Amino acid sequence: MSRVYNFSAGPSVLPEPVLETAAEEMLDYRGTGTSVMEMSHRSPAFKDIIDSAEALIRELMGIPEDYAVLFLQGGASCQFAMVPLNLMTGSGRADYVNTGAWSKKAIAEAKRYGTVNVVASSEGKTFSYIPELTRDMFDPEADYVHITSNNTIYGTRYAQLPETGEVPLVADMSSNILSQEYDVRKFGCIYAGAQKNIGPAGVTVVVIRKDLIGNARDITPTMFNYQTHAKAGSLFNTPPCYSIYIAKLVFEWVKKLGGITAIQAINEEKAALVYAFLDNSPLFSATVEPRDRSIMNIPFVLPTDDLNAEFISGAANRGMINLKGHRSVGGMRASIYNAMPRKGVVALVEYMKNFEIENS
Ligand code: PMP
């Protein structure tokens, strides 16, 4: 068996111990004689899995009791509609910050349900920074303020959360949930597709303040109403059982590593290895303003398209895959989520150093 270093933006690398446990438990999950994929979602064994998954994410993120944790389907993209359908029901207005392709999709969807005010945008500079946000920029009557806490494609993250006063802050945390500490109390709602730091695609985690549930507009499809899932403990219909099971294993892995404080320190150190190299390189350059750099997704470029292509194919030959940048930025992007081992980052930086020597 040979495993590569997978720098994919998502679905992305999973922790090896998680995959090993899943393999061991595949045919006979803890004496049930079935795999998790084959068991009823109403069975005691699965009830234990989903309850443990919820308890673990609550513990890891410090989620208070007055917040619900929901395991949903439809990806973060479904949340682009669920958020406005459920929350844009007071003034019918919401403030959005445009920091990339995913923000734009969230904005386009929300516009179908109410008045969207784009309070700031970094589009003019290829989303290479996070706009300065001050409290006076937000509508005090808005139903919520929406941000994308980490921009997967452009490699930016909010170094600081915006101050929105009484207006609930909603964050698409798909690409940096569980990577750094956040005070959940600062948010009205957090959502994340699983396929970066949580587990396989198929489950979407929503953490939402309970008082924000129950005000969905009348036309809201039952499955799009947070209340439906909150009332049923995410078991209104068949949930993505296997994805939830792997998520539970990932949460256990994070806990064993020392929780989010520990993983944040590891992530910062891994990212610093790459940024330190980029900042001192005469050949490679980072594309993001230093203050707003993501510790999960690191885009970088070489001076020509030919060199970019050569770098990417050379990396693949050395067992480092999925380094091609998104077409809107070009060059390369290294996604170094929680499960990317430090060794993988060291191998990447070593290769970059050698590439630089050979091409300078
Ligand atoms: N938001 C962000 C920040 C993302 O990175 C992605 C996917 N990569 C999405 C939303 C869309 O997620 P999904 O594919 O789960 O709908």
Side-chain angles (χ1 to χ4, degrees):
M1 185 199 67
S2 91
R3 300 255 308 157
V4 292
Y5 291 124
N6 177 11
F7 293 92
S8 169
S12 48
V13 57
L14 283 165
E16 269 180 28
V18 165
L19 297 176
E20 280 160 5
T21 305
E24 277 162 26
E25 294 181 336
M26 177 62 81
L27 292 178
D28 176 7
Y29 177 75
R30 302 192 184 178
T32 58
T34 68
S35 77
V36 174
M37 274 180 268
E38 301 164 301
M39 62 177 56
S40 163
H41 59 294
R42 311 267 174 217
S43 65
F46 187 72
K47 177 92 175 85
D48 182 56
I49 289 170
I50 195 168
D51 288 350
S52 305
E54 178 174 341
L56 282 159
I57 195 172
R58 279 188 182 279
E59 184 184 339
L60 289 171
M61 291 181 69
I63 302 171
E65 266 313 301
D66 56 328
Y67 283 68
V69 175
L70 311 176
F71 296 105
L72 308 181
Q73 307 201 48
S77 301
C78 221
Q79 295 310 308
F80 297 163
M82 277 181 87
V83 166
L85 277 166
N86 284 268
L87 306 182
M88 213 195 235
T89 54
S91 63
R93 302 198 300 272
D95 287 344
Y96 276 69
V97 185
N98 180 16
T99 53
W102 298 112
S103 303
K104 283 173 82 166
K105 290 201 169 149
I107 290 165
E109 196 67 21
K111 278 185 176 164
R112 300 160 64 106
Y113 305 107
T115 306
V116 171
N117 182 20
V118 179
V119 293
S121 169
S122 50
E123 190 162 15
K125 287 191 177 172
T126 330
F127 299 114
S128 57
Y129 69 101
I130 299 289
E132 200 79 55
L133 298 167
T134 51
R135 179 132 171 212
D136 56 296
M137 293 162 80
F138 299 112
D139 171 1
E141 302 289 311
D143 289 326
Y144 59 90
V145 173
H146 182 283
I147 61 165
T148 313
S149 58
N150 185 83
N151 295 277
T152 325
I153 295 174
Y154 305 93
T156 58
R157 72 151 171 184
Y158 285 75
Q160 258 185 329
L161 293 175
E163 185 49 65
T164 62
E166 294 298 301
V167 180
L169 180 63
V170 176
D172 174 356
M173 220 179 256
S174 294
S175 50
N176 76 333
I177 193 164
L178 303 180
S179 72
Q180 63 173 84
E181 295 209 74
Y182 277 113
D183 177 359
V184 172
R185 285 229 169 271
K186 296 230 159 82
F187 301 89
C189 176
I190 293 168
Y191 63 87
Q195 62 274 20
K196 293 127 179 18
N197 271 339
I198 294 177
V203 62
T204 309
V205 172
V206 175
V207 177
I208 180 166
R209 222 173 62 208
K210 287 179 181 165
D211 65 289
L212 297 173
I213 299 174
N215 307 310
R217 57 171 59 202
D218 290 343
I219 59 140
T220 306
T222 307
M223 280 295 289
F224 274 56
N225 193 325
Y226 290 132
Q227 191 165 45
T228 304
H229 303 285
K231 269 190 180 162
S234 302
L235 291 168
F236 173 75
N237 68 330
T238 318
C241 301
Y242 199 75
S243 298
I244 293 170
Y245 159 66
I246 299 287
K248 187 206 80 149
L249 297 180
V250 170
F251 300 156
E252 283 170 348
W253 174 79
V254 174
K255 185 175 168 178
K256 212 166 149 194
L257 278 178
I260 295 185
T261 318
I263 213 140
Q264 176 171 353
I266 297 168
N267 288 335
E268 281 170 357
E269 203 260 341
K270 285 189 314 193
L273 290 173
V274 184
Y275 287 122
F277 172 78
L278 289 171
D279 286 340
N280 290 303
S281 171
L283 191 65
F284 289 86
S285 17
T287 57
V288 172
E289 298 273 330
R291 191 197 57 183
D292 302 324
R293 288 173 174 175
S294 168
I295 57 170
M296 296 282 97
N297 313 97
I298 307 183
F300 55 94
V301 291
L302 282 158
T304 67
D305 286 344
D306 284 350
L307 280 174
N308 288 332
E310 194 185 322
F311 179 85
I312 293 160
S313 70
N317 291 337
R318 288 164 179 78
M320 290 176 275
I321 65 162
N322 290 322
L323 279 161
K324 193 168 169 26
H326 191 269
R327 60 191 178 280
S328 55
V329 184
M332 281 65 66
R333 170 179 48 173
S335 293
I336 53 169
Y337 297 115
N338 288 353
M340 169 56 66
R342 185 179 187 278
K343 279 192 304 191
V345 178
V346 170
L348 173 65
V349 174
E350 274 307 303
Y351 170 53
M352 290 165 86
K353 278 183 193 156
N354 290 333
F355 191 91
E356 184 180 275
I357 293 164
E358 279 164 26
N359 290 282
S360 298

